[in-house]
Amino acid sequence: MGILLPLTMGAYLLLSLAVGASAPQLRSGWAIAVLADAAFLAAWYWVLLRLVGRRERYVQTASAIFSLQTVLAAPGIVELWLSQWRLTDATARSSSAVAMLDLALMLAVTGWTLIATSYIVRAALERTVMLCWILAFAQMVAEGMLLSATYSGY
């Protein structure tokens, strides 16, 4: 299997767990949600590549996905901090500018994730852009549902 996948998955897990440890507003259960998310991503791409007959691309694809998730952690952390601040601070809660900034950042991170994920999927599957966008979107929706089920703060 090589070292790339364990390194990228480890970086993603460590950074995500560090975020949970450094953000006091995150409730207990964050670690379980992070582990469930990593297992889900690994399984999702293993099944997808197996279904389309591209098993040999699993390590490359999963490594790219975990690398992307690690890189996107920086703007994701900022968005998480902003949304938590908006929910817990009375002044921020009443500010429409803070709400708009939070929404804009959330949309930017989500859009960036969708675009980058679809490029990775397209490289792995060699299918149409539209199909890869749909698959990336399906993965993001399923991942969100899993996180909502495993972590009450999501």
Side-chain angles (χ1 to χ4, degrees):
M1 173 166 43
I3 194 164
L4 186 59
L5 182 55
L7 280 176
T8 56
M9 185 184 275
Y12 169 69
L13 286 170
L14 288 175
L15 183 60
S16 297
L17 291 171
V19 168
S22 65
Q25 62 270 39
L26 295 178
R27 295 177 187 85
S28 64
W30 175 258
I32 292 169
V34 168
L35 295 173
D37 184 45
F40 169 79
L41 286 171
W44 176 276
Y45 287 100
W46 185 83
V47 169
L48 178 63
L49 292 167
R50 188 164 175 83
L51 285 173
V52 299
R54 304 279 181 160
R55 288 183 312 188
E56 71 280 359
R57 295 186 179 185
Y58 175 71
V59 172
Q60 172 188 2
T61 303
S63 297
I65 291 295
F66 283 111
S67 296
L68 171 67
Q69 294 294 332
T70 303
V71 168
L72 290 176
I77 291 167
V78 172
E79 195 282 320
L80 174 69
W81 177 84
L82 185 60
S83 66
Q84 292 294 318
W85 177 61
R86 190 173 59 86
L87 294 173
T88 57
D89 185 86
T91 306
R93 192 177 8 220
S94 64
S95 170
S96 59
V98 172
M100 292 301 290
L101 179 61
D102 186 25
L103 178 62
L105 188 55
M106 181 187 65
L107 289 173
V109 170
T110 301
W112 185 10
T113 303
L114 180 60
I115 291 167
T117 301
S118 68
Y119 277 107
I120 293 168
V121 172
R122 185 166 186 222
L125 304 183
E126 297 178 356
R127 301 293 200 270
T128 66
V129 172
M130 185 55 69
L131 176 63
C132 294
W133 272 68
I134 291 168
L135 290 169
F137 183 74
Q139 177 249 301
M140 289 175 67
V141 169
E143 187 179 13
M145 290 170 58
L146 172 73
L147 289 173
S148 292
T150 58
Y151 177 62
S152 61
Y154 185 73

